Amino acid sequence: MFLFRRAGDRVTVDEARSRTGGDRPEAVLLDVREKPEWAAGHAPGAVHVPLTKLVAGAPLPAEARGRPLVVICRSGHRSQQAAKLLAGRGARAVDVEGGMKAWTAAGHPVVDERGNSGRIT
């Protein structure tokens, strides 16, 4: 069971990968960076919706609706904002401390929009 202590909680990249990876992930990894950042490199299996669109009222992608969310951005600032915004909408959301910079520093995989090896910009 995916446990959230309270809105605003943060998880490590290792915890994020554990919760959102594998055959039966308990949560969705939601990347809130802008399209060019996403295209250059993102975590495999992540779902994308930019923070700017969430702020403007865009709904979550279908595969993220009603599921626990682990929110990630480049460094952790936008993901904190997004997690709070989503929690205000009733979603169960935490953000990833250090974002994709910490993800890559930990040696976790990154792919581009074509599925090739990606990079974080």
Side-chain angles (χ1 to χ4, degrees), residues 76-119:
H77 180 72
R78 287 176 284 180
S79 60
Q80 274 189 305
Q81 292 177 301
K84 287 177 185 174
L85 180 142
L86 291 165
R89 292 183 186 175
R92 295 174 292 160
V94 295
D95 84 287
V96 180
E97 189 171 12
M100 288 302 296
K101 289 170 102 178
W103 182 275
T104 57
H108 299 317
V110 175
V111 295
D112 67 14
E113 65 184 344
R114 293 181 185 90
N116 300 315
S117 181
R119 62 184 173 80

Side-chain angles (χ1 to χ4, degrees), residues 32-34 37 51 73-74 76-83:
V32 297
R33 295 174 300 143
E34 295 301 316
E37 295 172 289
L51 175 59
C73 66
R74 183 173 183 259
H77 180 72
R78 287 176 284 180
S79 60
Q80 274 189 305
Q81 292 177 301

Side-chain angles (χ1 to χ4, degrees), residues 2 16-29 45 67-68:
F2 194 80
R17 187 168 186 217
S18 172
R19 291 179 178 187
T20 62
D23 292 336
R24 295 178 137 205
E26 61 186 80
V28 172
L29 185 62
R67 305 258 333 265

